[in-house]
Amino acid sequence: AELIAARGDTRFLDLGAGVGSTTVPLADALPDSHFTGYENAPLTWLVGLLLGVGRPTIRWRWDDLWQADLGNYDVVYAFLSPAPMPRLWEKVQAEMKPGSLFISNSFPVPDVDPLQVLKIDDVRQTQLFCYRI
């Protein structure tokens, strides 16, 4: 939230948003920003949609993350797995605007040095790999 707040009014995209465990708290903490979650598992998407009710800054999409236009967002966040990272990085580079930020939870982009690695003091000891475009 601090990283996004420093950018001011932000358009944030969560690829593979699950039930909204990232998107919903961020939307609550940053009411001046706009959040979109892409999820393609129907039940998971439905739970996320329901958890977003009453939060007008959240838009929930039941869609394939590969169909998202990343150029519409200031910050793109993904918590996927190592397997799609090379392909996702190609999409990020092709679509995201200069100055935007790509954040990968737990899985770095292979052979690309992140601008910053944030270590989160949580149960998983999460690392966020941040890449400026």
Side-chain angles (χ1 to χ4, degrees), residues 13 34-35 48 51 65 68 72 74-75 102-103 107 128 133:
L13 174 62
H34 296 85
F35 299 87
L51 290 173
L65 68 90
N72 292 328
D74 305 305
V75 177
F102 173 64
I103 303 171
F107 306 107
L128 302 178
I133 307 305

Side-chain angles (χ1 to χ4, degrees), residues 90-110:
E90 288 178 17
K91 182 173 177 61
V92 162
Q93 289 183 299
E95 297 178 18
M96 290 183 73
K97 295 176 184 164
S100 57
L101 184 66
F102 173 64
I103 303 171
S104 178
N105 184 327
S106 302
F107 306 107
V109 175

